[in-house]
Amino acid sequence: MKNVFLKRVAVTMIAVLTMSVAAQAQEKGDMAVGANLVLGSGDSFTNYGVGAKFQYNVLNPLRLEGSFTYFLKKDYTTMWDLSVNGHWLFPIADKITVYPLAGVGILNYGYDFDLGGWGVKASGSTSDFAFNLGGGIDLKLTDQLIFNAEVKYKISDVWDRLLVSAGIAYKF
């Protein structure tokens, strides 16, 4: 019984040391800006968007990201998403980092249609607070250029959306 306990302590210490060394690969104060393409899906409605993001490493393993995505108009519906997410960075290889993410945001959706000859016109918009959960991967292409792919689930009172994105970021 004592050997099992000592093995668990040893394995735990090795894991903590490994994560500490891996966490040192991310530098506090690093910043990046980027752009991405997004596929949004939820409630039988799928549309595409374009986005921009700003990333800042608050601590060695913790990065904050602010992002804005505008979804292209589809079926008389427009949307945009403004979010702030935290990424807990886990370098798994020299040029590969994975991360879980959690955050908050605002999802805005609007509609504007005119059925011409039928005399039916309607428009309106609303915003809803949302929580974000997901994860992603960063692939370091050069010292400054990073390819990113991410899956995020946005949970709100009105619409839940799955957002899949791919983009590029410039680190400075």
Side-chain angles (χ1 to χ4, degrees):
M1 189 64 107
K2 190 174 184 181
N3 285 340
V4 172
F5 175 76
L6 291 176
K7 285 181 184 178
R8 287 184 184 167
V9 169
V11 168
T12 303
M13 288 177 60
I14 290 170
V16 168
L17 288 173
T18 302
M19 283 193 265
S20 297
V21 171
Q24 296 303 318
Q26 304 300 321
E27 297 292 325
K28 178 180 175 183
D30 281 354
M31 292 184 271
V33 294
N36 54 340
L37 298 174
V38 181
L39 172 66
S41 182
D43 293 331
S44 301
F45 185 77
T46 301
N47 57 348
Y48 297 95
V50 293
K53 59 188 170 187
F54 174 78
Q55 300 171 331
Y56 179 76
N57 282 48
V58 178
L59 302 170
N60 286 348
L62 177 63
R63 175 173 69 198
L64 291 181
E65 177 184 86
S67 65
F68 178 81
T69 302
Y70 175 79
F71 290 93
L72 305 176
K73 189 173 187 175
K74 180 183 176 191
D75 298 336
Y76 309 104
T77 303
T78 58
M79 297 177 137
W80 56 260
D81 171 39
L82 180 65
S83 292
V84 176
N85 296 304
H87 301 165
W88 196 265
L89 305 171
F90 292 99
I92 59 172
D94 187 37
K95 298 183 183 241
I96 301 172
T97 302
V98 297
Y99 57 88
L101 73 83
V104 295
I106 297 172
L107 179 62
N108 177 278
Y109 38 96
Y111 58 92
D112 186 14
F113 64 90
D114 181 356
L115 296 181
W118 295 20
V120 177
K121 293 182 181 181
S123 64
S125 72
T126 187
S127 296
D128 197 22
F129 180 79
F131 292 100
N132 304 320
L133 295 172
I137 185 168
D138 289 342
L139 304 172
K140 188 175 180 183
L141 303 174
T142 68
D143 285 342
Q144 282 80 32
L145 213 53
I146 299 164
F147 173 79
N148 174 265
E150 188 174 276
V151 175
K152 175 172 52 177
Y153 195 66
K154 187 169 265 318
I155 304 162
S156 74
D157 285 340
V158 179
W159 268 19
D160 293 345
R161 304 260 302 153
L162 178 66
L163 305 177
V164 179
S165 66
I168 197 123
Y170 178 78
K171 182 177 164 186
F172 55 96

